[in-house]
């Protein structure tokens, strides 16, 4: 049977379609940026996909006369796109990746690409330079996602995204290895391996974009839920959120050691009477910032009520809890809060702390956070009776389960 019509895959049409697909995803990312309060890396992601589309269009859509310049511009765009992808993930995860680190890798890639053009290096070498830079940048992005997975990020979309980052990087490296001396860009685009790599890269870009946007949506959802559970003035957890999070630790089959710390501002009523309630709020905000700077990501810090704060320190023993409490007392006494009328207000705190009592002999239940907090609260009042501006431990013999 003879087919009257046999459709063929036109490389130029394929390249144009892939580029337009990248621009469409980029527009979607920019649209999501405009509809969210926090950008969460969407702007950087949109720029990365747009530069990828432009790079593909320049790389394979050039004519013979302008091919060398187009290939150079395409390589520069692709390296910049990879750097923008890495920046997008640092924004999404709030990772303190230094811009200088990303900029240094980007600059090395740009210099290597420009050097291959200026010094007329062999084709395989000129293709290896941008591919290596892209591989490093995307490899770092994949490592960031993997680290977030280990830290408790939902792994459905994030694991797929990490795999796609490696796949895109490998596709670029493979395409560079297929580049043959004497072939122009259009001849390479028409080859079956190049078409397969382009199609695979397009699928990888689509899946990676879906994964990134899914993670951004999940992050936005968690941030919105987290905002409800936080105190509006200090940004710390509310009392009910503190007990909800702590109860999950108590309910775990593993007996997690922790310490609880109760903090109270000394003579807070005097601060309100002397400077006004607005100044009192500023003092509370400053005390909350001190606590936020002092705790780890795994710890739970909350405003217990009024001028009182409570903190749960995971995997913390007596010595560590004592050092933490003493450091809080010392640093609070060194702070000065600048008020709206430019006056300075100082404050001190009293602290009581208790370590969770776990009976290692029997298989009975460990002490609950409420019981440990009660002991820490009694230690706090002991610190106040002893003259304030100090930290005292709870008595171990008062532990109750």
């Amino acid at each position: 049977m003879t087919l009257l019509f046999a459709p063929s895959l036109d490389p130029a049409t394929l390249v144009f379609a892939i580029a337009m697909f990248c621009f469409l995803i980029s527009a979607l990312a920019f649209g999501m940026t405009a509809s969210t309060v926090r950008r969460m890396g969407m702007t950087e992601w949109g720029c990365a996909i747009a530069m990828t589309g432009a790079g593909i269009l320049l790389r394979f859509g050039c004519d013979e006369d302008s091919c060398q310049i187009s290939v150079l511009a395409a390589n520069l765009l692709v390296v910049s796109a990879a750097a923008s992808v890495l920046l997008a993930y640092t924004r999404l995860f709030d990772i303190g990746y230094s811009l200088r680190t990303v900029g240094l890798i980007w600059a090395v890639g740009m210099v290597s690409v420009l050097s291959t053009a200026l010094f007329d290096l062999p084709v395989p070498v000129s293709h290896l330079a941008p591919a290596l830079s892209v591989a490093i940048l995307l490899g770092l992005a994949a490592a960031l996602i993997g680290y977030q997975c280990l830290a408790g990020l939902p792994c459905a979309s994030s694991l797929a995204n990490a795999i796609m980052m490696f796949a895109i990087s490998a596709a670029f490296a493979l395409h560079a290895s297929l580049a043959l001396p004497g072939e122009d860009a259009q001849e390479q685009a028409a080859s079956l391996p190049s078409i397969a790599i382009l199609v695979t890269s397009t699928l990888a870009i689509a899946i990676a974009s879906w994964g990134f946007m899914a993670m951004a949506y999940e992050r936005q959802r968690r941030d919105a839920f987290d905002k409800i559970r936080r105190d509006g003035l200090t940004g710390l957890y509310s009392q009910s959120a503190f007990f909800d999070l702590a109860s999950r630790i108590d309910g775990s089959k593993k007996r997690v050691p922790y310490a609880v710390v109760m903090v109270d501002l000394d003579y807070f009523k005097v601060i309100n009477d002397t400077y006004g309630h607005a100044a009192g709020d500023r003092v509370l905000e400053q005390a909350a910032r001190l606590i936020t700077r002092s705790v780890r990501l795994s710890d739970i810090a909350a405003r217990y009520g009024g001028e009182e704060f409570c903190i749960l320190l995971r995997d913390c023993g007596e010595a560590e809890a004592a050092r933490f409490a003493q450091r809080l007392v010392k640093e609070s006494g060194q702070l000065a809060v600048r008020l709206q009328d430019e006056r300075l207000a100082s404050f001190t705190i009293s602290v009581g702390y208790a370590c969770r009592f776990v009976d290692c002999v029997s298989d009975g239940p460990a002490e609950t956070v409420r019981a440990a907090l009660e002991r820490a609260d009694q230690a706090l009042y002991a610190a106040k009776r002893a003259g304030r501006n100090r930290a005292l431990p709870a008595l171990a013999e008062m532990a109750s389960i």
Side-chain angles (χ1 to χ4, degrees):
M1 180 177 179
T2 304
L3 293 176
L4 299 177
F5 174 73
S8 61
L9 184 60
D10 180 16
T13 304
L14 175 63
V15 168
F16 181 78
I18 292 173
M20 292 303 104
F21 177 72
C22 290
F23 295 148
L24 180 62
I25 292 180
S26 176
L28 179 61
F30 287 129
M32 291 183 68
T33 300
S35 64
T36 56
V37 177
R38 293 183 56 193
R39 296 191 310 175
M40 291 183 292
M42 278 296 176
T43 300
E44 290 79 4
W45 187 266
C47 290
I49 302 302
M51 286 187 287
T52 301
I56 292 174
L57 203 58
L58 284 172
R59 179 67 183 84
F60 297 109
C62 60
D63 54 34
E64 188 174 354
D65 296 331
S66 61
C67 189
Q68 186 173 0
I69 297 176
S70 297
V71 169
L72 173 62
N75 288 337
L76 295 176
L77 280 171
V78 170
V79 172
S80 299
S84 189
V85 165
L86 179 56
L87 284 177
Y89 282 110
T90 62
R91 298 289 188 270
L92 177 62
F93 298 136
D94 287 333
I95 301 288
Y97 247 48
S98 171
L99 285 175
R100 289 182 296 178
T101 303
V102 179
L104 178 61
I105 302 173
W106 172 81
V108 170
M110 300 293 275
V111 169
S112 64
V113 171
L114 290 172
S115 299
T116 58
L118 293 174
F119 298 107
D120 196 23
L121 296 177
V123 172
V125 177
S126 65
H127 282 69
L128 180 63
L132 185 60
S133 300
V134 169
I136 293 174
L137 288 164
L138 295 185
L140 288 173
L144 277 184
I145 304 171
Y147 175 79
Q148 293 298 314
C149 254
L150 294 175
L153 188 76
C155 292
S157 58
S158 54
L159 184 59
N161 226 9
I163 294 173
M164 286 304 102
M165 286 297 101
F166 282 119
I168 296 171
S169 176
F172 276 110
L174 181 58
H175 188 273
S177 68
L178 292 175
L180 299 176
E183 283 191 335
D184 61 27
Q186 292 180 346
E187 289 174 345
Q188 291 177 31
S191 66
L192 185 59
S194 291
I195 291 175
I197 291 171
L198 280 171
V199 173
T200 303
S201 298
T202 305
L203 291 175
I205 290 171
I207 296 174
S209 296
W210 166 81
F212 184 86
M213 293 176 186
M215 284 190 289
Y217 173 78
E218 176 63 21
R219 174 66 187 274
Q220 185 182 14
R221 188 191 66 81
R222 286 190 290 115
D223 285 352
F225 181 68
D226 192 60
K227 186 177 181 180
I228 299 174
R229 293 151 61 93
R230 290 189 179 271
D231 174 64
L233 177 64
T234 63
L236 300 178
Y237 283 113
S238 64
Q239 182 187 132
S240 59
F242 174 85
F243 283 115
D244 178 56
L245 294 170
S247 65
R248 300 179 189 178
I249 300 176
D250 283 345
S252 174
K253 294 181 179 180
K254 182 180 179 181
R255 298 187 174 190
V256 179
Y258 58 73
V260 290
V261 181
M262 286 292 295
V263 179
D264 187 80
L265 271 66
D266 296 330
Y267 303 110
F268 185 69
K269 186 177 184 303
V270 175
I271 294 176
N272 277 333
D273 293 342
T274 303
Y275 301 104
H277 289 281
D281 288 346
R282 289 205 169 206
V283 171
L284 285 172
E285 291 173 348
Q286 185 65 44
R289 280 195 288 269
L290 170 62
I291 292 173
T292 302
R293 291 196 305 267
S294 302
V295 298
R296 302 161 298 179
L297 291 176
S298 59
D299 300 329
I300 308 170
R303 184 182 180 186
Y304 196 73
E307 67 272 20
E308 284 190 321
F309 303 90
C310 57
I311 308 161
L312 186 147
L313 305 172
R314 291 179 64 104
D315 298 315
C316 183
E318 187 77 28
E320 294 88 347
R323 284 194 294 268
F324 175 86
Q326 295 293 346
R327 186 171 71 251
L328 276 184
V329 171
K330 179 181 178 181
E331 293 183 5
S332 65
Q334 298 172 347
L335 294 175
V337 182
R338 186 174 296 277
L339 307 178
Q340 291 181 341
D341 56 5
E342 297 302 318
R343 287 186 296 172
L344 295 178
S346 58
F347 68 94
T348 61
I349 60 174
S350 297
V351 179
Y353 59 93
C355 290
R356 185 188 196 188
F357 177 77
V358 179
D359 188 356
C360 299
V361 179
S362 67
D363 294 330
E367 184 180 26
T368 64
V369 67
R370 290 184 181 275
L373 203 62
E374 176 64 26
R375 293 195 294 121
D377 195 46
Q378 293 178 19
L380 169 63
Y381 282 105
K384 284 182 169 293
R385 288 193 299 269
R388 293 180 169 83
N389 191 25
R390 67 193 64 214
L392 291 180
L395 299 177
E397 58 267 22
M398 294 177 60
S400 61
I401 297 177

